[in-house]
Amino acid sequence: MNILITGAAGQLGRELNACAPAAHKLSSADRTTLDLADKQSIAAALEQARPDVIINAAAYTQVDAAEENRDLAAAVNGEAVAQLSEYARDAGTRVIHFSTDFVFHGDQTTPYVTAAATQPINAYGESKLQGEQALLTKIPQQSVLIRTAWVYSAYGNNFVHTMLRLLRERESIIVVSDQVGSPTWAAGLAEFVWQVVARPKMHGIYHWTDAGVASWYDFAVAIQDIALELGLLDRQIPVQPVSSAEYPTAATRPHYSVLDKSATVEAGFAPRHWRHTLRDMLTQLATGKS
């Protein structure tokens, strides 16, 4: 199949290219060749690629900045998805698109099922919900919507790299302990995506994160512990838990955003525990294989 991957320079895009089956013809577009904020750029890229499948791995993901750049976030995460969906509807193309735990409010204490009511509490979540609605309204039978959360990889800017840097530079760090979710290694998500591609009749909403639950504080502690074992750090420093109220940000975050993966598991896919995938990613860094 001819497959167009948007956001090819991002952490998920790079992992998608790294584990792509050789049988497919890939057209990998980054922001320089396909700008989701530019309708003409989208149209030109689609005309050139003429894909059988679009994997939309591009997004505006700067959660705090989205509060001041609502129009840009809406253009990239919402309006662009509508344009991709309209193209797909007319061309008979399949779309695999990614959304986020941030479409939910975060006031539950049990994992959010795929059919749970959406209620974003920040501009980023609102823009991602706009994209969801466009996709599911225009091409419900031709699309797979994958909600994920807390994505990291050996590439790009993400929480793991930030923590490693701070753990090297500072004498102690503070990390929020009252926001709970599930970390997700982009490499595992990418492998799941290629399995979805191999099932052309699969459609609807699926949740994919790594198994298990953590707070950002738990995640940070695990990063330090495993990085010390692997020699990525040469000293241990205190990691102190703080509340969200003590660490204010421009965008409000959900306190609980664990995604229920029952539908994904029932379809035959089994995510690994986040501590195991974190170790694999940090091992990549330690051995220079990323």
Side-chain angles (χ1 to χ4, degrees):
M1 286 184 288
N2 186 9
I3 298 176
L4 172 63
I5 300 175
T6 71
Q11 55 185 359
L12 177 56
R14 293 181 68 172
E15 296 287 7
L16 284 164
N17 275 283
C19 65
H24 298 310
K25 177 185 177 183
L26 300 185
S27 298
S28 296
D30 60 21
R31 191 180 301 173
T32 63
T33 55
L34 198 169
D35 182 357
L36 287 186
D38 184 337
K39 292 183 178 181
Q40 292 183 339
S41 175
I42 297 171
L46 291 171
E47 179 62 26
Q48 181 176 3
R50 295 184 178 273
D52 300 305
V53 178
I54 299 169
I55 302 176
N56 185 30
Y60 184 98
T61 58
Q62 299 176 55
V63 176
D64 288 321
E67 296 297 312
E68 297 293 330
N69 298 286
R70 288 174 178 264
D71 290 345
L72 179 58
V76 174
N77 294 340
E79 295 162 23
V81 180
Q83 185 175 351
L84 293 175
S85 300
E86 289 165 1
Y87 172 88
R89 181 187 59 203
D90 297 339
T93 299
R94 188 180 183 211
V95 177
I96 298 172
H97 175 67
F98 303 90
S99 191
T100 171
D101 54 322
F102 278 32
V103 299
F104 298 116
H105 185 283
D107 58 353
Q108 287 192 183
T109 56
T110 56
Y112 284 89
V113 297
T114 55
T118 52
Q119 188 182 351
I121 57 175
N122 56 46
Y124 168 69
E126 290 171 0
S127 69
K128 293 299 289 183
L129 179 59
Q130 183 182 345
E132 285 193 10
Q133 292 169 336
L135 186 82
L136 297 173
T137 299
K138 295 177 184 297
I139 50 169
Q141 302 300 313
Q142 290 170 235
S143 62
V144 177
L145 173 64
I146 301 172
R147 291 194 185 115
T148 189
W150 298 25
V151 177
Y152 68 91
S153 80
Y155 310 113
N157 297 318
N158 54 63
F159 183 80
V160 177
H161 282 295
T162 297
M163 287 300 105
L164 289 173
R165 176 176 58 80
L166 294 177
L167 288 163
R168 293 185 183 110
E169 294 176 352
R170 299 188 180 180
E171 297 304 313
S172 66
I173 60 173
I174 59 171
V175 185
V176 169
S177 61
D178 60 356
Q179 295 172 21
V180 177
S182 299
T184 304
W185 187 27
L189 174 58
E191 291 175 358
F192 169 60
V193 171
W194 287 119
Q195 293 178 75
V196 171
V197 170
R199 296 192 186 185
K201 294 183 179 180
M202 189 174 175
H203 64 274
I205 304 173
Y206 292 86
H207 289 169
W208 180 276
T209 64
D210 292 337
V213 175
S215 68
W216 289 112
Y217 167 74
D218 296 327
F219 195 17
V221 169
I223 291 167
Q224 178 167 243
D225 288 348
I226 297 171
L228 283 166
E229 291 178 28
L230 296 174
L232 288 167
L233 298 172
D234 56 13
R235 60 174 187 144
Q236 185 171 23
I237 67 170
V239 180
Q240 304 291 348
V242 296
S243 69
S244 299
E246 296 173 279
Y247 192 81
T249 54
T252 304
R253 265 74 168 174
H255 281 288
Y256 183 91
S257 57
V258 179
L259 300 177
D260 184 297
K261 296 178 285 292
S262 297
T264 305
V265 173
E266 289 170 5
F269 306 101
R272 297 167 58 212
H273 194 276
W274 67 265
R275 287 189 66 98
H276 299 165
T277 55
L278 174 62
R279 178 176 291 276
D280 285 351
M281 179 275 201
L282 291 175
T283 299
Q284 275 190 357
L285 293 182
T287 58
K289 293 182 179 180
S290 61

